[in-house]
Amino acid sequence: MDRDSTLPTTDAPVQSAADNAEQGGTAPVKTPAKVTTEQRRRLIKQLVNQAGGANTEDLAARFDVSYMTIWRDINVLEQDGQLQRVRGGAVPREDAQTEPPYLSKQPLHSRAKERIARYAAEHFVDDDDILFLEAGTTVAAMTKYLRRQNLTVVTNGVETIYSTLARLPELTVMSCGGILRDKAHTFVGPQAERFFHDMRARTFFLGATGLAFPVGITDPSPFEIQVKRAMAASAERTILLIDSSKFGTRSLLQIVPLEQISILVTDENAPEEYLAQLRAMHVDVHVVASE
């Protein structure tokens, strides 16, 4: 058997073709028990187009082959112009999303990010808290404003870890292991996911690439999304920190449903129609005014 049975499986970060069909899409692709390489590649293209994307874990499990076999298939299909390869999987060619490098995101909307981060640290952190901080620039900016006593910060972000150095030993800082991604400066993969599944925290502070209806909160990387989902599942509440530029933006895949967000913190330029809809969904919306 071609598939490496030692590799763990995780929940698919993209909508399945079956789910897509139930929501009015085309009939789901059926996978024959035994397929040739050309048949498998043709089916992969159909699955990606129907579901809007697919990850390597899903495809490897579906066809009972190794990750490397799926990557070879995706590479061939991309070279033929059939789909677009992204980190962790593939998307329809016309829907390809690019992920900017971490350092290129730091200067963007930095004033709004700082205000949001400071507000979140001052209003939603208590003494003795255990906090999950994901690796985005807005969430990482919180560390300089954490003034409560006996705080534990748990993160997968290298830049987030670096930003806590000036606060040691006032903070207890923990990090997962895993695969180090150069683009986002984060640890990802099954080891990182298991780490957060085994941890518990009071609050998970989450950032995102975009928030749009009806898809919700989205990011471009399936690897990052899987770790964020593990954080959300192990925290008592999830607080979303996004500046106003993220509203109306749709990235590749949903992180978590909006119903899982307890509190949202944004800046004064956030569109009111979005905020009203979020409040109607019982999200506690906080708008931080400019100083």
mmCIF file of all heavy atoms in Angstrom, residues 102 108-109 112-114 116-118 134-143 206-207 241-243 246 265:
data_model
loop_
_atom_site.group_PDB
_atom_site.id
_atom_site.type_symbol
_atom_site.label_atom_id
_atom_site.label_comp_id
_atom_site.label_asym_id
_atom_site.label_seq_id
_atom_site.Cartn_x
_atom_site.Cartn_y
_atom_site.Cartn_z
ATOM 1 N N TYR A 102 5.411 37.331 6.466
ATOM 2 C CA TYR A 102 5.081 37.938 7.761
ATOM 3 C C TYR A 102 5.597 39.364 7.861
ATOM 4 O O TYR A 102 4.853 40.281 8.239
ATOM 5 C CB TYR A 102 5.661 37.086 8.889
ATOM 6 C CG TYR A 102 5.300 37.592 10.273
ATOM 7 C CD1 TYR A 102 4.197 37.083 10.936
ATOM 8 C CD2 TYR A 102 6.055 38.582 10.910
ATOM 9 C CE1 TYR A 102 3.845 37.540 12.192
ATOM 10 C CE2 TYR A 102 5.713 39.043 12.171
ATOM 11 C CZ TYR A 102 4.613 38.517 12.807
ATOM 12 O OH TYR A 102 4.257 38.980 14.046
ATOM 13 N N LEU A 108 1.559 47.260 7.709
ATOM 14 C CA LEU A 108 0.220 47.545 7.192
ATOM 15 C C LEU A 108 -0.749 47.833 8.332
ATOM 16 O O LEU A 108 -0.908 47.030 9.245
ATOM 17 C CB LEU A 108 -0.279 46.351 6.374
ATOM 18 C CG LEU A 108 0.564 45.971 5.148
ATOM 19 C CD1 LEU A 108 -0.002 44.712 4.500
ATOM 20 C CD2 LEU A 108 0.614 47.120 4.155
ATOM 21 N N HIS A 109 -1.389 49.014 8.271
ATOM 22 C CA HIS A 109 -2.409 49.396 9.259
ATOM 23 C C HIS A 109 -1.873 49.248 10.688
ATOM 24 O O HIS A 109 -2.606 48.829 11.595
ATOM 25 C CB HIS A 109 -3.674 48.553 9.064
ATOM 26 C CG HIS A 109 -4.140 48.471 7.642
ATOM 27 N ND1 HIS A 109 -4.774 49.523 7.013
ATOM 28 C CD2 HIS A 109 -4.017 47.483 6.715
ATOM 29 C CE1 HIS A 109 -5.045 49.167 5.753
ATOM 30 N NE2 HIS A 109 -4.601 47.952 5.556
ATOM 31 N N ALA A 112 -3.752 51.055 13.704
ATOM 32 C CA ALA A 112 -5.006 50.394 14.094
ATOM 33 C C ALA A 112 -4.712 49.085 14.810
ATOM 34 O O ALA A 112 -5.353 48.757 15.817
ATOM 35 C CB ALA A 112 -5.869 50.147 12.861
ATOM 36 N N LYS A 113 -3.741 48.320 14.320
ATOM 37 C CA LYS A 113 -3.383 47.050 14.957
ATOM 38 C C LYS A 113 -2.910 47.268 16.389
ATOM 39 O O LYS A 113 -3.269 46.504 17.300
ATOM 40 C CB LYS A 113 -2.301 46.346 14.145
ATOM 41 C CG LYS A 113 -2.767 45.801 12.803
ATOM 42 C CD LYS A 113 -1.605 45.191 12.044
ATOM 43 C CE LYS A 113 -2.040 44.630 10.707
ATOM 44 N NZ LYS A 113 -0.907 44.062 9.949
ATOM 45 N N GLU A 114 -2.100 48.302 16.609
ATOM 46 C CA GLU A 114 -1.598 48.586 17.952
ATOM 47 C C GLU A 114 -2.738 48.938 18.899
ATOM 48 O O GLU A 114 -2.770 48.491 20.055
ATOM 49 C CB GLU A 114 -0.575 49.718 17.912
ATOM 50 C CG GLU A 114 0.770 49.318 17.371
ATOM 51 C CD GLU A 114 1.522 48.385 18.312
ATOM 52 O OE1 GLU A 114 1.402 48.537 19.542
ATOM 53 O OE2 GLU A 114 2.235 47.501 17.816
ATOM 54 N N ILE A 116 -5.912 48.080 18.639
ATOM 55 C CA ILE A 116 -6.708 46.875 18.871
ATOM 56 C C ILE A 116 -6.010 45.951 19.859
ATOM 57 O O ILE A 116 -6.621 45.423 20.797
ATOM 58 C CB ILE A 116 -6.962 46.145 17.531
ATOM 59 C CG1 ILE A 116 -7.898 46.985 16.641
ATOM 60 C CG2 ILE A 116 -7.550 44.759 17.760
ATOM 61 C CD1 ILE A 116 -7.960 46.513 15.196
ATOM 62 N N ALA A 117 -4.706 45.754 19.659
ATOM 63 C CA ALA A 117 -3.937 44.869 20.543
ATOM 64 C C ALA A 117 -3.931 45.388 21.968
ATOM 65 O O ALA A 117 -4.108 44.621 22.930
ATOM 66 C CB ALA A 117 -2.512 44.732 20.013
ATOM 67 N N ARG A 118 -3.711 46.679 22.125
ATOM 68 C CA ARG A 118 -3.680 47.254 23.469
ATOM 69 C C ARG A 118 -5.036 47.136 24.158
ATOM 70 O O ARG A 118 -5.122 46.781 25.340
ATOM 71 C CB ARG A 118 -3.256 48.720 23.394
ATOM 72 C CG ARG A 118 -3.155 49.397 24.751
ATOM 73 C CD ARG A 118 -2.587 50.785 24.630
ATOM 74 N NE ARG A 118 -2.443 51.416 25.930
ATOM 75 C CZ ARG A 118 -1.877 52.604 26.136
ATOM 76 N NH1 ARG A 118 -1.357 53.272 25.117
ATOM 77 N NH2 ARG A 118 -1.803 53.102 27.353
ATOM 78 N N GLU A 134 -2.214 33.336 18.654
ATOM 79 C CA GLU A 134 -1.742 32.850 17.364
ATOM 80 C C GLU A 134 -0.713 33.828 16.813
ATOM 81 O O GLU A 134 -0.380 34.817 17.455
ATOM 82 C CB GLU A 134 -2.931 32.624 16.422
ATOM 83 C CG GLU A 134 -3.762 33.840 16.118
ATOM 84 C CD GLU A 134 -3.288 34.554 14.864
ATOM 85 O OE1 GLU A 134 -2.629 33.944 14.014
ATOM 86 O OE2 GLU A 134 -3.576 35.752 14.753
ATOM 87 N N ALA A 135 -0.203 33.557 15.621
ATOM 88 C CA ALA A 135 1.031 34.201 15.186
ATOM 89 C C ALA A 135 0.844 35.471 14.362
ATOM 90 O O ALA A 135 1.826 36.036 13.897
ATOM 91 C CB ALA A 135 1.859 33.201 14.380
ATOM 92 N N GLY A 136 -0.379 35.948 14.172
ATOM 93 C CA GLY A 136 -0.590 37.128 13.346
ATOM 94 C C GLY A 136 -0.019 38.397 13.965
ATOM 95 O O GLY A 136 0.236 38.471 15.167
ATOM 96 N N THR A 137 0.157 39.408 13.148
ATOM 97 C CA THR A 137 0.810 40.640 13.597
ATOM 98 C C THR A 137 -0.009 41.397 14.640
ATOM 99 O O THR A 137 0.556 41.978 15.563
ATOM 100 C CB THR A 137 1.097 41.556 12.403
ATOM 101 O OG1 THR A 137 -0.102 41.763 11.649
ATOM 102 C CG2 THR A 137 2.144 40.934 11.484
ATOM 103 N N THR A 138 -1.328 41.400 14.510
ATOM 104 C CA THR A 138 -2.150 42.114 15.486
ATOM 105 C C THR A 138 -2.104 41.424 16.843
ATOM 106 O O THR A 138 -1.923 42.074 17.878
ATOM 107 C CB THR A 138 -3.608 42.209 15.002
ATOM 108 O OG1 THR A 138 -3.634 42.811 13.701
ATOM 109 C CG2 THR A 138 -4.444 43.055 15.955
ATOM 110 N N VAL A 139 -2.241 40.118 16.858
ATOM 111 C CA VAL A 139 -2.210 39.378 18.116
ATOM 112 C C VAL A 139 -0.832 39.457 18.763
ATOM 113 O O VAL A 139 -0.705 39.637 19.983
ATOM 114 C CB VAL A 139 -2.630 37.914 17.889
ATOM 115 C CG1 VAL A 139 -2.486 37.108 19.173
ATOM 116 C CG2 VAL A 139 -4.074 37.839 17.389
ATOM 117 N N ALA A 140 0.219 39.347 17.961
ATOM 118 C CA ALA A 140 1.578 39.436 18.503
ATOM 119 C C ALA A 140 1.824 40.779 19.168
ATOM 120 O O ALA A 140 2.579 40.873 20.151
ATOM 121 C CB ALA A 140 2.605 39.200 17.403
ATOM 122 N N ALA A 141 1.174 41.827 18.680
ATOM 123 C CA ALA A 141 1.356 43.165 19.258
ATOM 124 C C ALA A 141 0.803 43.258 20.679
ATOM 125 O O ALA A 141 1.132 44.195 21.419
ATOM 126 C CB ALA A 141 0.696 44.213 18.372
ATOM 127 N N MET A 142 -0.034 42.301 21.095
ATOM 128 C CA MET A 142 -0.590 42.318 22.451
ATOM 129 C C MET A 142 0.477 42.166 23.524
ATOM 130 O O MET A 142 0.303 42.645 24.647
ATOM 131 C CB MET A 142 -1.605 41.182 22.634
ATOM 132 C CG MET A 142 -2.939 41.364 21.965
ATOM 133 S SD MET A 142 -4.005 39.945 22.333
ATOM 134 C CE MET A 142 -4.133 40.050 24.127
ATOM 135 N N THR A 143 1.572 41.483 23.206
ATOM 136 C CA THR A 143 2.503 41.063 24.257
ATOM 137 C C THR A 143 3.071 42.244 25.046
ATOM 138 O O THR A 143 3.301 42.131 26.249
ATOM 139 C CB THR A 143 3.655 40.240 23.659
ATOM 140 O OG1 THR A 143 4.303 41.003 22.628
ATOM 141 C CG2 THR A 143 3.117 38.940 23.072
ATOM 142 N N LEU A 206 -7.325 35.433 18.265
ATOM 143 C CA LEU A 206 -7.239 34.989 16.879
ATOM 144 C C LEU A 206 -7.173 36.192 15.932
ATOM 145 O O LEU A 206 -7.903 37.167 16.096
ATOM 146 C CB LEU A 206 -8.482 34.150 16.543
ATOM 147 C CG LEU A 206 -8.757 33.818 15.071
ATOM 148 C CD1 LEU A 206 -7.683 32.887 14.519
ATOM 149 C CD2 LEU A 206 -10.153 33.188 14.929
ATOM 150 N N GLY A 207 -6.303 36.112 14.942
ATOM 151 C CA GLY A 207 -6.293 37.050 13.826
ATOM 152 C C GLY A 207 -6.670 36.315 12.558
ATOM 153 O O GLY A 207 -6.738 35.076 12.528
ATOM 154 N N LEU A 241 -9.357 39.493 16.654
ATOM 155 C CA LEU A 241 -8.775 40.827 16.524
ATOM 156 C C LEU A 241 -8.474 41.086 15.055
ATOM 157 O O LEU A 241 -7.576 40.474 14.476
ATOM 158 C CB LEU A 241 -7.474 40.939 17.337
ATOM 159 C CG LEU A 241 -7.483 40.481 18.796
ATOM 160 C CD1 LEU A 241 -6.120 40.748 19.431
ATOM 161 C CD2 LEU A 241 -8.584 41.182 19.593
ATOM 162 N N ILE A 242 -9.226 41.995 14.439
ATOM 163 C CA ILE A 242 -8.960 42.338 13.034
ATOM 164 C C ILE A 242 -9.183 43.825 12.810
ATOM 165 O O ILE A 242 -10.128 44.410 13.347
ATOM 166 C CB ILE A 242 -9.833 41.530 12.050
ATOM 167 C CG1 ILE A 242 -11.322 41.681 12.347
ATOM 168 C CG2 ILE A 242 -9.452 40.059 12.039
ATOM 169 C CD1 ILE A 242 -12.200 41.111 11.244
ATOM 170 N N ASP A 243 -8.329 44.417 12.000
ATOM 171 C CA ASP A 243 -8.530 45.820 11.655
ATOM 172 C C ASP A 243 -9.537 45.924 10.520
ATOM 173 O O ASP A 243 -9.902 44.927 9.891
ATOM 174 C CB ASP A 243 -7.196 46.481 11.290
ATOM 175 C CG ASP A 243 -6.590 45.915 10.021
ATOM 176 O OD1 ASP A 243 -7.045 46.305 8.927
ATOM 177 O OD2 ASP A 243 -5.678 45.070 10.115
ATOM 178 N N LYS A 246 -9.722 44.253 6.874
ATOM 179 C CA LYS A 246 -9.996 42.825 6.665
ATOM 180 C C LYS A 246 -11.460 42.553 6.313
ATOM 181 O O LYS A 246 -11.775 41.473 5.806
ATOM 182 C CB LYS A 246 -9.637 42.034 7.941
ATOM 183 C CG LYS A 246 -8.225 42.260 8.460
ATOM 184 C CD LYS A 246 -7.188 41.720 7.524
ATOM 185 C CE LYS A 246 -5.785 41.904 8.055
ATOM 186 N NZ LYS A 246 -5.513 41.125 9.264
ATOM 187 N N VAL A 265 -12.830 42.526 18.244
ATOM 188 C CA VAL A 265 -12.272 43.856 18.472
ATOM 189 C C VAL A 265 -11.739 44.386 17.151
ATOM 190 O O VAL A 265 -10.946 43.710 16.478
ATOM 191 C CB VAL A 265 -11.143 43.833 19.521
ATOM 192 C CG1 VAL A 265 -10.675 45.261 19.819
ATOM 193 C CG2 VAL A 265 -11.596 43.149 20.803
#
